[in-house]
Amino acid sequence: MNIKKSILSCLLMLGFVSASAQEPEMKTEYVFNPHWYVQVQPLGAQYTLGELSFSDLISYNAQVALGYQFDKVFGARLAVNAFQSKGGSDFGNDGGEFSWKWKYVAPTIDLTANLSNLFCGYNPKRVFNLGMYIGVGANIAFDNDEAATAATNILARHAYNNENAPMTYLWDGTKPRFVGQGGLTADFRLSDKVSLGLEVSANTLSDRYNSKKARNADWYFNALAGVKINLGQTYTTRQVKGCEPRIVEKVVEKIVEKPVYIDKIVEVEKKPEPLRRDVFFTINSTRIDPTETQKIQDVVNYLNANPNAKVTITGYADKGTGNAQINERLGKNRAKVVTDRLVKKFKIDPARITTDSKGDTEQPFAENDKNRVSICIAE
Protein backbone atom coordinates (compact mmCIF):
# COMPACT_ATOMS: atom_id res chain seq x y z
CA MET A 1 0.00 0.00 0.00
CA ASN A 2 2.82 2.43 0.86
CA ILE A 3 4.47 1.71 -2.50
CA LYS A 4 1.20 2.47 -4.30
CA LYS A 5 0.81 5.76 -2.43
CA SER A 6 4.37 6.77 -3.29
CA ILE A 7 3.83 6.01 -6.98
CA LEU A 8 0.52 7.91 -6.91
CA SER A 9 2.17 10.97 -5.32
CA CYS A 10 4.91 11.04 -7.96
CA LEU A 11 2.38 10.82 -10.79
CA LEU A 12 0.33 13.66 -9.35
CA MET A 13 3.42 15.87 -9.05
CA LEU A 14 4.30 15.16 -12.69
CA GLY A 15 0.74 15.98 -13.69
CA PHE A 16 1.18 19.58 -12.52
CA VAL A 17 4.14 19.95 -14.95
CA SER A 18 2.05 19.85 -18.16
CA ALA A 19 4.23 22.19 -20.19
CA SER A 20 7.48 24.12 -19.92
CA ALA A 21 8.39 27.18 -21.90
CA GLN A 22 10.66 30.17 -21.70
CA GLU A 23 10.00 33.61 -23.04
CA PRO A 24 12.03 34.08 -26.25
CA GLU A 25 15.00 36.39 -25.94
CA MET A 26 14.94 39.77 -27.69
CA LYS A 27 17.58 40.51 -30.30
CA THR A 28 18.62 43.63 -32.16
CA GLU A 29 17.80 43.78 -35.88
CA TYR A 30 19.32 46.34 -38.27
CA VAL A 31 16.91 48.05 -40.69
CA PHE A 32 18.51 49.51 -43.84
CA ASN A 33 17.81 53.14 -44.81
CA PRO A 34 18.36 54.32 -48.43
CA HIS A 35 20.97 57.10 -48.43
CA TRP A 36 23.33 59.26 -50.48
CA TYR A 37 27.12 59.17 -50.22
CA VAL A 38 30.15 60.95 -51.65
CA GLN A 39 33.55 59.49 -52.55
CA VAL A 40 36.79 61.43 -52.82
CA GLN A 41 39.74 59.42 -54.18
CA PRO A 42 42.76 61.71 -54.58
CA LEU A 43 45.33 58.90 -54.64
CA GLY A 44 45.26 57.10 -57.97
CA ALA A 45 47.47 55.51 -60.59
CA GLN A 46 46.68 54.56 -64.18
CA TYR A 47 48.37 52.03 -66.43
CA THR A 48 47.63 52.53 -70.14
CA LEU A 49 48.13 49.34 -72.13
CA GLY A 50 50.97 49.78 -74.63
CA GLU A 51 54.34 48.64 -75.99
CA LEU A 52 56.65 50.31 -73.48
CA SER A 53 57.68 48.93 -70.09
CA PHE A 54 55.07 48.91 -67.32
CA SER A 55 56.66 51.76 -65.33
CA ASP A 56 56.86 53.99 -68.42
CA LEU A 57 53.09 53.80 -68.88
CA ILE A 58 52.06 54.65 -65.29
CA SER A 59 50.52 58.08 -64.63
CA TYR A 60 48.61 59.80 -61.84
CA ASN A 61 44.82 60.13 -61.78
CA ALA A 62 42.03 60.95 -59.31
CA GLN A 63 38.27 60.51 -58.96
CA VAL A 64 35.21 61.97 -57.21
CA ALA A 65 31.74 60.41 -57.10
CA LEU A 66 28.21 61.02 -55.82
CA GLY A 67 26.18 57.87 -55.20
CA TYR A 68 22.85 56.58 -53.88
CA GLN A 69 22.38 53.22 -52.12
CA PHE A 70 18.89 51.96 -53.02
CA ASP A 71 18.89 48.88 -50.80
CA LYS A 72 21.21 46.54 -48.90
CA VAL A 73 22.93 45.36 -52.10
CA PHE A 74 22.36 47.64 -55.10
CA GLY A 75 23.13 51.29 -55.76
CA ALA A 76 24.26 53.73 -58.43
CA ARG A 77 26.79 56.55 -58.68
CA LEU A 78 27.99 59.33 -60.95
CA ALA A 79 31.82 59.25 -61.01
CA VAL A 80 34.29 61.61 -62.65
CA ASN A 81 37.79 60.22 -63.23
CA ALA A 82 40.49 62.48 -64.65
CA PHE A 83 44.05 63.51 -65.29
CA GLN A 84 46.44 61.76 -67.69
CA SER A 85 47.06 58.76 -69.97
CA LYS A 86 50.25 57.65 -71.70
CA GLY A 87 51.18 55.93 -74.97
CA GLY A 88 54.31 54.82 -76.76
CA SER A 89 56.01 52.79 -79.48
CA ASP A 90 59.11 50.59 -79.22
CA PHE A 91 61.08 49.95 -82.43
CA GLY A 92 63.76 47.74 -80.86
CA ASN A 93 67.37 48.49 -79.99
CA ASP A 94 68.11 50.31 -83.20
CA GLY A 95 64.74 51.90 -83.81
CA GLY A 96 64.38 53.70 -80.48
CA GLU A 97 61.46 54.31 -78.14
CA PHE A 98 58.91 57.07 -78.48
CA SER A 99 56.44 58.09 -75.76
CA TRP A 100 53.77 60.72 -75.27
CA LYS A 101 51.01 61.66 -72.86
CA TRP A 102 47.69 63.50 -72.98
CA LYS A 103 44.96 64.58 -70.57
CA TYR A 104 41.36 63.43 -70.17
CA VAL A 105 38.17 63.72 -68.11
CA ALA A 106 35.89 60.64 -67.91
CA PRO A 107 32.41 60.96 -66.35
CA THR A 108 30.61 57.60 -65.98
CA ILE A 109 27.36 56.26 -64.55
CA ASP A 110 27.96 53.06 -62.57
CA LEU A 111 25.68 50.39 -61.12
CA THR A 112 27.12 49.10 -57.84
CA ALA A 113 26.61 45.92 -55.79
CA ASN A 114 27.71 45.14 -52.22
CA LEU A 115 28.87 41.51 -52.48
CA SER A 116 29.37 41.15 -48.72
CA ASN A 117 25.71 41.99 -48.04
CA LEU A 118 24.59 39.85 -50.97
CA PHE A 119 26.31 36.65 -49.80
CA CYS A 120 26.76 37.19 -46.04
CA GLY A 121 23.65 39.16 -45.06
CA TYR A 122 23.17 42.81 -44.15
CA ASN A 123 25.37 44.09 -41.30
CA PRO A 124 26.14 47.86 -41.12
CA LYS A 125 28.76 47.16 -38.42
CA ARG A 126 30.86 44.91 -40.70
CA VAL A 127 34.45 46.19 -40.85
CA PHE A 128 35.17 45.06 -44.43
CA ASN A 129 32.83 45.17 -47.42
CA LEU A 130 33.67 43.86 -50.89
CA GLY A 131 31.79 45.31 -53.85
CA MET A 132 31.74 45.48 -57.63
CA TYR A 133 30.44 47.85 -60.29
CA ILE A 134 29.93 48.21 -64.03
CA GLY A 135 29.42 51.47 -65.88
CA VAL A 136 29.39 53.42 -69.12
CA GLY A 137 30.28 57.01 -69.93
CA ALA A 138 32.45 59.30 -71.99
CA ASN A 139 36.21 59.82 -72.09
CA ILE A 140 36.91 63.40 -73.15
CA ALA A 141 40.58 63.56 -74.21
CA PHE A 142 42.60 66.70 -75.04
CA ASP A 143 46.12 68.20 -75.10
CA ASN A 144 47.62 65.59 -77.47
CA ASP A 145 50.53 67.72 -78.71
CA GLU A 146 53.21 65.24 -77.55
CA ALA A 147 51.66 62.52 -79.76
CA ALA A 148 51.97 64.83 -82.80
CA THR A 149 55.66 65.44 -82.01
CA ALA A 150 56.25 61.69 -81.57
CA ALA A 151 54.56 60.98 -84.93
CA THR A 152 56.85 63.49 -86.68
CA ASN A 153 59.97 61.92 -85.11
CA ILE A 154 58.87 58.39 -86.02
CA LEU A 155 58.29 59.33 -89.68
CA ALA A 156 61.65 61.12 -89.77
CA ARG A 157 63.45 58.00 -88.56
CA HIS A 158 61.39 55.24 -90.20
CA ALA A 159 59.94 54.94 -93.67
CA TYR A 160 56.18 54.30 -93.65
CA ASN A 161 53.47 55.00 -96.11
CA ASN A 162 50.36 56.68 -94.77
CA GLU A 163 48.38 53.43 -94.51
CA ASN A 164 50.97 51.55 -92.42
CA ALA A 165 52.21 54.41 -90.27
CA PRO A 166 51.92 53.54 -86.52
CA MET A 167 50.32 56.94 -85.74
CA THR A 168 47.52 56.64 -88.32
CA TYR A 169 44.90 57.60 -85.73
CA LEU A 170 46.67 60.76 -84.58
CA TRP A 171 44.11 63.28 -83.30
CA ASP A 172 44.16 66.83 -82.02
CA GLY A 173 41.78 69.21 -80.24
CA THR A 174 39.20 67.64 -77.87
CA LYS A 175 37.90 64.12 -78.59
CA PRO A 176 34.95 62.55 -76.66
CA ARG A 177 34.72 58.75 -76.91
CA PHE A 178 32.44 56.09 -75.41
CA VAL A 179 34.06 54.18 -72.52
CA GLY A 180 32.90 51.07 -70.67
CA GLN A 181 34.29 49.97 -67.34
CA GLY A 182 34.04 47.39 -64.57
CA GLY A 183 35.77 47.11 -61.23
CA LEU A 184 36.00 45.93 -57.64
CA THR A 185 35.83 47.98 -54.41
CA ALA A 186 37.05 47.28 -50.88
CA ASP A 187 35.71 49.48 -48.06
CA PHE A 188 37.08 49.48 -44.51
CA ARG A 189 34.57 50.91 -42.01
CA LEU A 190 35.80 53.59 -39.59
CA SER A 191 32.33 54.67 -38.35
CA ASP A 192 28.70 54.74 -39.49
CA LYS A 193 29.56 57.79 -41.59
CA VAL A 194 33.11 57.24 -42.85
CA SER A 195 35.04 54.41 -44.49
CA LEU A 196 38.35 54.13 -46.30
CA GLY A 197 38.16 52.62 -49.76
CA LEU A 198 40.30 50.96 -52.40
CA GLU A 199 39.15 50.54 -56.00
CA VAL A 200 40.51 48.91 -59.16
CA SER A 201 38.93 49.10 -62.59
CA ALA A 202 39.44 48.12 -66.22
CA ASN A 203 38.33 50.60 -68.90
CA THR A 204 37.95 49.96 -72.63
CA LEU A 205 37.38 52.40 -75.48
CA SER A 206 38.08 53.10 -79.16
CA ASP A 207 41.33 52.00 -80.84
CA ARG A 208 41.89 55.68 -81.68
CA TYR A 209 42.42 56.69 -78.03
CA ASN A 210 46.23 56.43 -78.03
CA SER A 211 46.62 57.65 -81.67
CA LYS A 212 48.07 54.26 -82.73
CA LYS A 213 46.38 51.89 -85.15
CA ALA A 214 46.31 48.47 -83.47
CA ARG A 215 43.02 47.06 -84.87
CA ASN A 216 41.77 46.31 -81.35
CA ALA A 217 40.25 48.28 -78.48
CA ASP A 218 42.47 50.44 -76.27
CA TRP A 219 42.55 49.77 -72.51
CA TYR A 220 43.60 51.55 -69.34
CA PHE A 221 43.48 50.32 -65.73
CA ASN A 222 42.95 52.47 -62.64
CA ALA A 223 43.81 51.91 -58.98
CA LEU A 224 42.34 54.47 -56.54
CA ALA A 225 42.32 55.09 -52.79
CA GLY A 226 40.28 57.57 -50.78
CA VAL A 227 37.40 58.12 -48.39
CA LYS A 228 33.66 57.45 -48.59
CA ILE A 229 31.25 59.60 -46.55
CA ASN A 230 27.64 58.51 -45.98
CA LEU A 231 25.04 61.28 -45.91
CA GLY A 232 22.16 60.90 -43.46
CA GLN A 233 21.20 57.91 -41.33
CA THR A 234 22.13 54.64 -43.05
CA TYR A 235 20.21 52.29 -40.74
CA THR A 236 17.96 52.04 -37.68
CA THR A 237 17.59 49.29 -35.10
CA ARG A 238 14.61 47.49 -33.67
CA GLN A 239 14.13 44.78 -31.08
CA VAL A 240 12.58 41.53 -32.30
CA LYS A 241 11.82 38.23 -30.61
CA GLY A 242 14.13 35.32 -31.18
CA CYS A 243 12.97 31.82 -32.07
CA GLU A 244 10.06 30.53 -30.01
CA PRO A 245 11.19 27.76 -27.64
CA ARG A 246 9.83 24.27 -28.12
CA ILE A 247 7.03 23.34 -25.71
CA VAL A 248 7.31 19.84 -24.27
CA GLU A 249 4.11 18.37 -22.94
CA LYS A 250 4.04 15.50 -20.49
CA VAL A 251 0.91 13.40 -20.42
CA VAL A 252 0.41 11.36 -17.26
CA GLU A 253 -2.14 8.66 -16.81
CA LYS A 254 -3.95 9.33 -13.55
CA ILE A 255 -4.34 6.32 -11.29
CA VAL A 256 -6.60 6.88 -8.30
CA GLU A 257 -7.06 4.36 -5.57
CA LYS A 258 -8.79 6.69 -3.09
CA PRO A 259 -9.99 10.29 -3.27
CA VAL A 260 -7.02 12.60 -2.93
CA TYR A 261 -7.41 15.91 -1.13
CA ILE A 262 -4.95 18.69 -1.84
CA ASP A 263 -4.89 21.10 1.05
CA LYS A 264 -2.26 23.45 -0.38
CA ILE A 265 -3.25 26.00 -3.02
CA VAL A 266 -0.48 27.02 -5.38
CA GLU A 267 -0.63 30.76 -5.90
CA VAL A 268 -0.08 32.00 -9.43
CA GLU A 269 1.70 35.31 -9.73
CA LYS A 270 -0.62 37.91 -11.22
CA LYS A 271 0.76 39.63 -14.32
CA PRO A 272 0.66 43.43 -14.02
CA GLU A 273 -1.66 45.32 -16.34
CA PRO A 274 0.05 46.98 -19.37
CA LEU A 275 0.80 50.69 -19.12
CA ARG A 276 0.20 53.16 -21.94
CA ARG A 277 1.39 56.76 -22.00
CA ASP A 278 0.98 59.16 -24.97
CA VAL A 279 3.77 61.77 -25.18
CA PHE A 280 2.49 64.64 -27.33
CA PHE A 281 4.61 67.11 -29.35
CA THR A 282 3.98 70.51 -30.86
CA ILE A 283 3.77 70.99 -34.63
CA ASN A 284 6.97 70.11 -36.54
CA SER A 285 8.82 69.52 -33.23
CA THR A 286 10.75 66.62 -31.69
CA ARG A 287 11.41 68.36 -28.36
CA ILE A 288 9.78 66.86 -25.25
CA ASP A 289 7.61 69.51 -23.60
CA PRO A 290 8.02 69.81 -19.78
CA THR A 291 4.31 69.05 -19.41
CA GLU A 292 4.93 65.58 -20.89
CA THR A 293 7.88 64.54 -18.68
CA GLN A 294 5.65 62.97 -15.99
CA LYS A 295 4.38 60.49 -18.59
CA ILE A 296 7.95 59.35 -19.25
CA GLN A 297 8.49 59.10 -15.48
CA ASP A 298 5.40 56.83 -15.28
CA VAL A 299 6.97 54.50 -17.85
CA VAL A 300 10.27 54.48 -15.91
CA ASN A 301 8.46 53.67 -12.65
CA TYR A 302 6.60 50.80 -14.33
CA LEU A 303 9.81 49.32 -15.80
CA ASN A 304 11.66 49.63 -12.48
CA ALA A 305 8.78 47.97 -10.62
CA ASN A 306 8.58 45.14 -13.19
CA PRO A 307 12.12 44.01 -14.14
CA ASN A 308 10.85 41.66 -16.86
CA ALA A 309 8.67 44.29 -18.54
CA LYS A 310 9.54 45.87 -21.88
CA VAL A 311 8.30 48.98 -23.64
CA THR A 312 7.40 49.68 -27.28
CA ILE A 313 7.71 53.31 -28.44
CA THR A 314 6.01 54.24 -31.74
CA GLY A 315 6.38 57.69 -33.28
CA TYR A 316 3.69 59.41 -35.36
CA ALA A 317 3.15 62.65 -37.29
CA ASP A 318 -0.11 64.32 -38.22
CA LYS A 319 -1.19 63.90 -41.84
CA GLY A 320 -2.57 67.42 -42.03
CA THR A 321 0.93 68.95 -41.99
CA GLY A 322 4.01 68.46 -44.21
CA ASN A 323 4.42 65.52 -46.58
CA ALA A 324 5.07 61.79 -46.26
CA GLN A 325 8.88 62.12 -46.28
CA ILE A 326 8.95 64.88 -43.64
CA ASN A 327 6.39 63.08 -41.49
CA GLU A 328 8.33 59.80 -41.67
CA ARG A 329 11.39 61.63 -40.33
CA LEU A 330 9.33 63.38 -37.61
CA GLY A 331 7.77 60.10 -36.45
CA LYS A 332 11.16 58.39 -36.32
CA ASN A 333 12.80 61.25 -34.39
CA ARG A 334 9.89 61.53 -31.94
CA ALA A 335 10.26 57.87 -31.05
CA LYS A 336 14.03 58.27 -30.82
CA VAL A 337 13.96 61.29 -28.46
CA VAL A 338 11.76 59.38 -25.97
CA THR A 339 14.03 56.34 -26.27
CA ASP A 340 17.12 58.49 -25.66
CA ARG A 341 15.49 60.02 -22.56
CA LEU A 342 14.81 56.54 -21.10
CA VAL A 343 18.32 55.28 -21.85
CA LYS A 344 20.48 58.32 -21.13
CA LYS A 345 18.65 59.94 -18.21
CA PHE A 346 16.98 56.98 -16.51
CA LYS A 347 19.50 54.26 -17.47
CA ILE A 348 16.89 51.87 -18.89
CA ASP A 349 18.53 48.92 -20.70
CA PRO A 350 18.16 49.48 -24.50
CA ALA A 351 17.38 45.75 -24.86
CA ARG A 352 14.07 46.44 -23.07
CA ILE A 353 13.03 49.07 -25.62
CA THR A 354 11.54 48.53 -29.09
CA THR A 355 11.44 51.63 -31.29
CA ASP A 356 9.16 52.01 -34.31
CA SER A 357 7.77 54.79 -36.51
CA LYS A 358 4.55 55.04 -38.53
CA GLY A 359 5.02 58.61 -39.80
CA ASP A 360 1.64 59.67 -41.12
CA THR A 361 0.74 56.24 -42.54
CA GLU A 362 -1.36 55.58 -39.44
CA GLN A 363 -3.37 58.14 -37.44
CA PRO A 364 -4.17 56.76 -33.95
CA PHE A 365 -6.38 59.72 -33.04
CA ALA A 366 -9.35 61.23 -34.84
CA GLU A 367 -8.18 64.72 -33.87
CA ASN A 368 -5.39 65.75 -36.27
CA ASP A 369 -3.19 67.61 -33.74
CA LYS A 370 -3.08 64.64 -31.34
CA ASN A 371 -1.26 62.55 -33.96
CA ARG A 372 1.98 64.45 -33.18
CA VAL A 373 2.77 61.81 -30.59
CA SER A 374 4.97 58.99 -29.36
CA ILE A 375 2.82 56.17 -27.94
CA CYS A 376 4.59 54.18 -25.20
CA ILE A 377 3.17 50.77 -24.25
CA ALA A 378 4.91 48.94 -21.40
CA GLU A 379 4.01 45.36 -20.50
Side-chain angles (χ1 to χ4, degrees), residues 45-91:
Q46 180 183 110
Y47 169 68
T48 312
L49 193 63
E51 299 175 13
L52 304 185
S53 64
F54 181 83
S55 60
D56 289 337
L57 294 174
I58 295 291
S59 55
Y60 170 80
N61 75 342
Q63 183 168 284
V64 294
L66 174 65
Y68 187 77
Q69 194 69 31
F70 298 105
D71 60 24
K72 303 171 186 178
V73 176
F74 298 106
R77 72 177 186 181
L78 172 63
V80 180
N81 181 268
F83 193 61
Q84 182 175 272
S85 294
K86 291 184 176 180
S89 292
D90 184 358
F91 291 89

Side-chain angles (χ1 to χ4, degrees), residues 16 24 72 114 154 163 184 227 259 315:
F16 285 112
K72 303 171 186 178
N114 187 315
I154 291 172
E163 183 178 351
L184 295 174
V227 64

Side-chain angles (χ1 to χ4, degrees), residues 102-119:
W102 63 100
K103 295 181 175 61
Y104 74 94
V105 175
T108 58
I109 296 176
D110 304 323
L111 297 178
T112 65
N114 187 315
L115 300 180
S116 296
N117 285 343
L118 177 63
F119 294 108

Side-chain angles (χ1 to χ4, degrees), residues 5 24 27 40 58 112 114 145 147 182 201 223 229-230 232 242-243 253 269 283 300 308 320 323 325:
K5 288 184 177 180
K27 65 177 183 178
V40 181
I58 295 291
T112 65
N114 187 315
D145 295 342
S201 67
I229 302 173
N230 293 318
C243 297
E253 182 180 357
E269 183 180 357
I283 186 170
V300 172
N308 293 326
N323 55 45
Q325 183 176 2

Side-chain angles (χ1 to χ4, degrees), residues 61 77 91 125 214 216 253 307 311 315 357 365:
N61 75 342
R77 72 177 186 181
F91 291 89
K125 301 294 185 180
N216 53 257
E253 182 180 357
V311 61
S357 171
F365 296 97

Side-chain angles (χ1 to χ4, degrees), residues 127-172:
V127 175
F128 172 77
N129 281 281
L130 179 66
M132 65 171 290
Y133 64 91
I134 57 173
V136 294
N139 181 294
I140 305 168
F142 56 95
D143 197 7
N144 199 34
D145 295 342
E146 290 190 13
T149 302
T152 300
N153 294 335
I154 291 172
L155 291 175
R157 190 164 181 176
H158 301 275
Y160 288 101
N161 57 41
N162 290 335
E163 183 178 351
N164 297 323
M167 305 289 283
T168 303
Y169 291 156
L170 179 65
W171 54 269
D172 59 6

